[in-house]
Every structure is written in C-alpha cells, then in structure tokens.
Amino acid sequence: MRYLILFFIVGLTLLTSSCRQDFEFEPSTGGLFFSKDTVYLDTVFTNIGSSTYTLKVYNKSDKDIKIPTIQLGKGQASKYRMTVDGMVGNNNRVFNDVELLAKDSMYIFIEVTADVAEANPTDFLYTDIIEFRHANGEVQDVDLVTLIQDAYFLYPKRFADGTTETLTIEGIEEPVYGFFLDENDPVNGNEYVWNNDKPYVVYGYAAVPGGKTLNVQPGARVHFHADSGLIVGNGASFKANGTLENNIIFEGDRLEPGFSDVAGQWQTIWLTAGSTGNEIENVIIKNAAVGLNIDSNDGNFMTIKNTQIYNSSLIGLYAKTAKIKGENLVINYGGIASLACTLGGSYEFKHCTFNNNWSSSRQVAVLLNNYYEDENGAQVPFDLVQADFKNCIIYGSNTYELSLDPASSGQFNHSFTKCLLKFGSSTNPLYSFLFDNPEIKRNENPKFLNVQNNQLNIGDDSAARGFGDDVSVPFDILGNPRTTPFDAGAYNWTTFQD
C-alpha cells in the first residue's frame, strides 16, 4: 500500500507539472511567420464593405508565446476590421495578450469599408498595416491594400418618417424596394443619362417612367446590388448603345475575382409591356437572375445586336409575346434556358450563339412556348407568329438543347436554317424536322474556345465553320467582316493559339 501511495503522489506531481507547463506562455520576442507579406483586399466601391480575407500567423518555435499587442497601424481610426482567432478585441482593431501555442498557428480575418476620400488621391489605394508588437520592442507587420472605386449611387429615398421609397408594379401584390430616376438629382445630376466617367451602383429597382428615356453611354459600367435591377415602364425607352471598343457592362456590385462568374447576384433588366423604342447594342450582361426580361413591347420590333448575356441563374433572355430581332447575340449558362421565347410573339435571330452548360439535367439552350396555364390549369394560347433562326448555334451540355412547347391551339411557327443544333434521338413528330435535314447539323461539335470562361469563339475545326448562308449581317460580333463561306454563330472561325 505504501508503494501505491508513493506512486500516486509521484504521478500527481508529474501531471500537475505538465499541466502548469502547458499554460505558461512566454512574452513573444518576434520570429512569427505569415502566410503572406501583403493582404490585397480586392477593389470595392466607396462605403461598401468588402469580402473577408484571411491571414495565417505561425509560431514555429518550441515555446508557447503571448503576443502583447496585435493592432491595426491606424488604430481605432482604421477603416479595416479584423478578428483574431475568433476574438473581436477592442472594436476589432486592437488585441492584447494574444496566446499562441508552440508549433501552432492562428487565423486573422480582415474586412474593410472605406470612402474614396480616405484613399490616396493619386492611385485611390487605401492602406494600413497589421502590427505585431513584441515584449522586447520588436515590431513585425503585414501590409493591407485595397483599391477604393468611386461611383454614382442610385437608391430609394428615405422619408422623414423613416420609410423608404417603393414602387407599385402591376401583377405584383407587394410594393418593391425601388425608385424613379430623377433628371435633377442634387448629387448625380440627370439620372436619365448614365455616363462612363465612373461606375453606377444601383440599390433596389431603378425605374424609368412613361415618357422618359434612359440613355446609357458607350463604356458605361452599371453594378446592381443584390435583389436590384432596372425597370423600363409603359411608354418609356431604354437605349444602351455601346461600341465595339466601348461595351456597356451590366453586372453585380461584388468586384472580387471570386464573384466574376457567380450567377444570380442581381435581378434583371425588365422592359415591361408597352415600353417603346428600346435599343441594345454592344452590351454585356452578367450574373443576373434573368439577364433581359422583355414583355410585349409596343408592336414594333426591337433590335439586340452584338450583345452577350452570361451566367443567369434562371434565364438569359426571357421574352413574352415580344417582337425581337437579334444579330450576333451570344448567351451562355442559364438555370432554365439561355433563350426563352414564351407566350408567342415574333422573333428573328441571325448569327446567334445560344449555349447552355448549366450543371443540371433539365436546362436547355432554346425554349419556345405559346401559352400559359390559368388558375384552373387551362391553356391560354398566344400566337407564335414566327421564330426564325438563321446561321445559329444551339448547343450545350445536355442531350436535348431545344424545347418546343406548343399549345393545343394557336400559331406555333418556327424555322431553323443553317443551324448547328444539339438534339438526341426522338420519335416526337414535333422534332421530325431536325432529322435528315440538310439545313441542320445535329450533334456536331462547334468546338468553342472555352465554355467555362464564356469564350464561345469557334476554331478552324468547328462544325459551324462554313455552314452558313449570307443573311445580310456583314460583320461578326468582334467587328470582323464576314466572307463566303459564312460561318454559323456570332463569331467567325479563327485559329486558336496554344
């Protein structure tokens, strides 16, 4: 028994000694290692918060250490914020006595919200440092760098009673967060002209009322916040006329590279029923829920030329009883369809590329429909007067990239001339025209340059090369002259560089 008691006392002493050593932290004297010397927080708009960025800090020594101070160089005045191993410290800017075990590491998460006025006026960079102050006076630091971009900000007004401006839209029960543009705004000036001197950032739905025209200038950049968009009302007009050298771009307001191809960041450009004189040329629309939402227009054809629509979580171009002429139109990636012409209408597409590589088994490149179902499930037909596709590519990752959905009554007219089209075998008589038809190349690869990067250029071995006719579209989407034999799709073939 005496030996057992002695063994217990010795064991307890060793255990106590071991535990005490685990929690004895020496003041740090330097020698930390970092995952990077500079943390670049990608471009943000003035007064819009950034994403969260990460810095990893390593203690490679054999000692448990306590770092007396970790702080932002500008202290409490810094526009950066950080958490250190989950701690918020003093207002996310100063941290004292931070412990770090031997051979261990910790994470620092960093964000920034800054005004362009606080950036360097020559390069618009807002900078700071993270200081690691050690007990012996040594200071290690990591640089923080962010480009702050100024912009025109468009958003609903806030009223004296605390409410904000809303829009009432026919067919939608609840008012939506939105506002009418103002031609005499005290800050932005005439909001019916969107210039290219600095970007526009839109919160909520910006609306163009009847009798007004929104003119978007070549080279303009328009960024929509989440759940935001543009509405062009009955009797209003939307004219977005870019140039080959200065495309107009509509996209979300997250500028970090990780968001460059993320679908559904904002809602849509909605040309409502009765909008008139709309023109779209040399425009890029990216990362919306629905890129272009076009209701029945004023009875005249609207034109869409040299335009690209990418990464729509629902539909790239959603037309309803509309009249559209499209030339050199490129649409890629849509959760439901790249192009959906529904509720009838009248359409003519020449030298267009409709591709859909959305990662599901049900999406299509092109959908044609001429009805809707009422509350009782009965079909309400509309006439599809024409849906003519000439020298087009209709392709994608699914076996069937064309969907025809006619009503039991009403016109359902369509034609496909010199088109390259992805479609598997079928006994459905709706699709009989696709088989043994010299006007159609079925299931032959267009050999796009890079579908994932929305580069739908065709190479010298593309099945679309030389398959087209002369349909009076003299230049391709890049401004290159078309010559015989004409290629299908929006791009002339080219030899890809390795």
Side-chain angles (χ1 to χ4, degrees):
M1 176 65 71
R2 183 177 61 188
Y3 293 107
L4 287 175
I5 294 172
L6 179 62
F7 178 78
F8 175 76
I9 293 172
V10 172
L12 183 62
T13 302
L14 290 173
L15 181 63
T16 305
S17 173
S18 174
C19 289
R20 184 170 59 248
Q21 185 177 9
D22 284 346
F23 291 94
E24 287 180 352
F25 290 86
E26 298 184 6
S28 65
T29 57
L32 296 174
F33 291 84
F34 308 105
S35 58
K36 54 191 77 173
D37 296 325
T38 302
V39 179
Y40 294 97
L41 288 80
D42 291 296
T43 305
V44 296
F45 287 115
T46 184
N47 288 327
I48 294 180
S50 71
S51 293
T52 301
Y53 294 78
T54 303
L55 173 70
K56 198 170 184 180
V57 183
Y58 301 90
N59 174 18
K60 296 185 178 182
S61 74
D62 297 322
K63 299 178 180 179
D64 301 335
I65 61 173
K66 181 182 292 184
I67 306 168
T69 304
I70 300 176
Q71 69 174 38
L72 291 165
K74 295 178 181 178
Q76 297 294 344
S78 180
K79 299 302 178 181
Y80 290 99
R81 305 174 301 280
M82 58 184 181
T83 59
V84 177
D85 250 10
M87 301 179 293
V88 298
N90 184 354
N91 200 27
N92 293 100
R93 288 166 173 82
V94 180
F95 301 78
N96 298 118
D97 296 329
V98 178
E99 297 173 347
L100 184 56
L101 295 172
K103 304 297 185 181
D104 202 357
S105 61
M106 64 181 177
Y107 284 97
I108 297 179
F109 297 102
I110 308 141
E111 300 174 336
V112 66
T113 305
D115 189 283
V116 69
E118 294 157 328
N120 186 324
T122 59
D123 55 18
F124 302 104
L125 294 177
Y126 181 75
T127 61
D128 203 346
I129 58 175
I130 303 176
E131 296 179 344
F132 299 81
R133 295 184 171 273
H134 301 291
N136 61 352
E138 181 180 344
V139 178
Q140 294 180 269
D141 60 62
V142 173
D143 292 322
L144 303 176
V145 179
T146 307
L147 177 64
I148 309 297
Q149 192 166 358
D150 196 12
Y152 295 103
F153 291 91
L154 308 177
Y155 50 87
K157 295 181 176 65
R158 180 175 290 275
F159 302 117
D161 61 0
T163 61
T164 56
E165 189 176 1
T166 59
L167 295 171
T168 301
I169 300 175
E170 184 178 355
I172 299 178
E173 291 184 5
E174 296 294 328
V176 300
Y177 181 68
F179 61 99
F180 288 108
L181 297 174
D182 185 349
E183 58 192 348
N184 294 298
D185 185 83
V187 176
N188 299 323
N190 185 1
E191 294 178 340
Y192 290 113
V193 179
W194 291 0
N195 297 300
N196 59 15
D197 55 333
K198 56 184 179 180
Y200 287 76
V201 181
V202 180
Y203 288 82
Y205 276 95
V208 185
K212 298 292 185 181
T213 298
L214 173 60
N215 285 288
V216 187
Q217 302 298 303
R221 300 291 184 267
V222 183
H223 301 264
F224 295 94
H225 195 61
D227 299 320
S228 298
L230 174 66
I231 298 176
V232 181
N234 185 2
S237 299
F238 172 66
K239 297 185 184 299
N241 289 302
T243 64
L244 185 63
E245 298 78 16
N246 287 291
N247 281 294
I248 296 167
I249 299 179
F250 297 94
E251 60 182 324
D253 66 348
R254 300 303 299 268
L255 303 183
E256 303 91 326
F259 287 86
S260 60
D261 293 315
V262 177
Q265 295 181 44
W266 54 286
Q267 289 299 304
T268 188
I269 297 173
W270 185 7
L271 309 181
T272 66
S275 61
T276 181
N278 300 315
E279 299 172 3
I280 299 174
E281 185 169 3
N282 289 300
V283 168
I284 298 173
I285 301 171
K286 299 168 51 181
N287 307 330
V290 176
L292 275 175
N293 186 355
I294 303 177
D295 284 345
S296 55
N297 31 357
D298 62 355
N300 298 308
F301 277 95
M302 69 164 290
T303 59
I304 305 174
K305 296 182 179 180
N306 303 321
T307 290
Q308 304 163 63
I309 304 175
Y310 299 132
N311 310 321
S312 304
S313 60
L314 297 177
I315 300 172
L317 171 53
Y318 185 19
K320 291 157 286 183
T321 327
K323 302 184 74 171
I324 298 172
K325 290 186 176 181
E327 297 178 1
N328 291 333
L329 176 59
V330 179
I331 308 179
N332 191 27
Y333 283 110
I336 296 173
S338 293
L339 170 69
C341 299
T342 68
L343 305 184
S346 190
Y347 308 94
E348 183 180 63
F349 296 104
K350 299 179 180 179
H351 281 291
C352 296
T353 300
F354 304 115
N355 189 74
N356 201 345
N357 273 53
W358 192 269
S359 56
S360 81
S361 60
R362 291 185 290 182
Q363 90 285 344
V364 295
V366 173
L367 165 66
L368 302 181
N369 163 287
N370 70 336
Y371 70 93
Y372 77 91
E373 292 184 352
D374 65 17
E375 61 274 9
N376 299 314
Q379 290 184 349
V380 180
F382 292 77
D383 286 337
L384 181 61
V385 177
Q386 69 176 99
D388 297 336
F389 295 81
K390 302 175 181 179
N391 293 1
C392 292
I393 298 174
I394 299 171
Y395 210 77
S397 55
N398 279 347
T399 303
Y400 300 92
E401 289 293 349
L402 173 66
S403 177
L404 304 178
D405 183 24
S408 56
S409 62
Q411 295 184 54
F412 192 74
N413 299 317
H414 56 76
S415 67
F416 296 82
T417 307
K418 296 297 182 180
C419 290
L420 186 71
L421 199 147
K422 179 88 170 285
F423 195 88
S425 61
S426 176
T427 59
N428 188 333
L430 274 175
Y431 301 100
S432 60
F433 70 94
L434 294 175
F435 301 90
D436 300 319
N437 185 346
E439 298 294 323
I440 292 173
K441 281 189 176 183
R442 188 172 61 89
N443 299 332
E444 295 192 38
N445 200 326
K447 299 288 184 70
F448 294 127
L449 175 59
N450 191 318
V451 172
Q452 286 72 30
N453 290 336
N454 295 314
Q455 296 172 312
L456 301 187
N457 315 66
I458 59 172
D460 52 10
D461 59 346
S462 171
R465 178 181 175 182
F467 184 57
D469 289 332
D470 185 356
V471 292
S472 301
V473 182
F475 300 95
D476 78 350
I477 192 171
L478 299 178
N480 301 311
R482 286 194 165 97
T483 57
T484 186
F486 300 94
D487 303 326
Y491 295 92
N492 286 350
W493 74 269
T494 187
T495 301
F496 300 149
Q497 301 298 317
D498 294 332

